[in-house]
Amino acid sequence: MERVWKLPAIYLTILLALLLVTGCAAEQVVEEELPVVEEVVETGTLAFTANGEEFIREGFVCKDGWELSFDHAYVTLTSISAFQTDPPFETEMGWEFEDLVQVRIDLAGVHTVDLAAPDADPAVVGEAASVPVGRYNAIYWEMVRASDGPSEGFVVLLVGTAEKDGETINFSLGLDREVSYLGGEYVGDERKGILQAGGSADVEMTFHFDHLFGDFDEDPGDEINLEALGFGPLAALAVDGALEVSLSDLETKLAEGDYALLLAVMTHLAHVGEGHALAAFME
Amino acid sequence: MKKTKHRVVLLSMIILIGGLILLLSPVGVSAHGVDIAAVPVKAVEVIALYDSGQPMVGGQVAIYAPDEPLEPWLTGTCDEEGRFIFRPDYSRPGLWEIQVRLAGHGDLIRFEVTAAEEAVADGPGGLSLLQKIVMALVVAWGAVGTAFYFSRRNS
């Protein structure tokens, strides 16, 4: 062999040797058996909470200028379940989402909580210990009539005082139509439902009572006010500064349009934080 | 003849070293002044509207990366048309989340960043066409120069 070809020949030999060595090494990696790893399910504590927000705890001025304060805001909840879904549940997916569910945690029992209590920020409805970690990105619950207690017969009972232009009305408003709700991941100024090993997280059922009464601080043409009943139509039914009324009573006492508004409010009263929830009357 | 041989070897070394310097240097770096580049990037545009179709002017935006869901990766505010534009970190593939809230209303949406998008965003290997050409020339010239060196020494 001429010497001029020696160096390229050496380069080629080294290159082939390197290729052989790396090729064999790669093959060995593929042939290695993977170690058997036992799956360990990490757990934490999941709390189920309900929140009427500051509107109900501190009171507010509704769209028609009535200043509302609440002594009690009872809601009765049951069939509460939190889910981990893949992909994450969004309300656009509708009610049929069982195929997405990876983990389901149920809270047994019927629970009545007072959202107007000062410490209901939020109110703890119940807890589930030693549940799998992960992201609880969907929650289902039913709002049902209480079978006993202070709000017996009602799914929601609001007890409080309304004041406007020197007039005071002590009111008790009971809603008695049962509704089921399904919401997605919490939307708000903090993250909720993300459970890490050994930790705790909460999933929240949020109730927006400004949807019922409207908000004086918002524009009268704002959607929140256009779709709200306000307190004026209820005030008109008060006798001697007192109003004790149920949804069933209001069907005949309110104007047809106002009653329709009130029914519609029950379907967008509940949220998950600020995220809307699906709603359906149960009867 | 000996001078020619040395020139060939010297020229080979100069090209080799020059090529290596060019290869190892970042593209577009200059020694002085300001270097401004306008490079099209793949960005995400958020458009936040109320159900009524009105834009969520001033909507508070929080972006969450898939591997850090508890803390916002980026926060910002929607403009007068309810828009907010950002470029996600394509090196963090997975489901990104966008939350927009304003005055008690809000929603959360998701979009996926894939590993393929990461590769496109970063470019294949990071070598420019010029660098590849120079690299090929350097290798070729090195081989030719080496061959010349040995052939001349034999003769």
Side-chain angles (χ1 to χ4, degrees), chain A residues 177-195:
Chain A
R177 291 275 309 262
E178 297 186 334
V179 192
S180 58
Y181 298 103
L182 174 63
E185 190 154 330
Y186 180 88
V187 176
D189 57 2
E190 58 181 314
R191 308 303 314 263
K192 293 194 174 189
I194 302 173
L195 183 59

Side-chain angles (χ1 to χ4, degrees), chain B residues 9 11-12 15 21 44-45 49 72 79 92 97 108-109 114 121 152 155:
Chain B
V9 172
L11 190 56
S12 297
I15 291 176
I21 289 170
V44 174
E45 182 182 55
L49 307 173
D79 67 11
R92 300 165 80 171
E97 295 175 302
L108 180 77
I109 61 169
T114 63
R152 296 301 180 195
S155 62

Side-chain angles (χ1 to χ4, degrees), chain A residues 166-210:
Chain A
E167 183 181 0
T168 300
I169 297 174
N170 296 310
F171 66 86
S172 170
L173 170 63
L175 307 178
D176 49 13
R177 291 275 309 262
E178 297 186 334
V179 192
S180 58
Y181 298 103
L182 174 63
E185 190 154 330
Y186 180 88
V187 176
D189 57 2
E190 58 181 314
R191 308 303 314 263
K192 293 194 174 189
I194 302 173
L195 183 59
Q196 296 178 321
S200 61
D202 63 301
V203 287
E204 183 177 294
M205 297 160 276
T206 317
F207 297 87
H208 289 194
F209 286 96
D210 55 330

Side-chain angles (χ1 to χ4, degrees), chain B residues 79-97:
Chain B
D79 67 11
E80 292 180 352
E81 296 178 326
R83 293 174 190 271
F84 180 77
I85 299 174
F86 71 100
R87 183 177 187 271
D89 182 349
Y90 287 103
S91 69
R92 300 165 80 171
L95 218 49
W96 286 65
E97 295 175 302

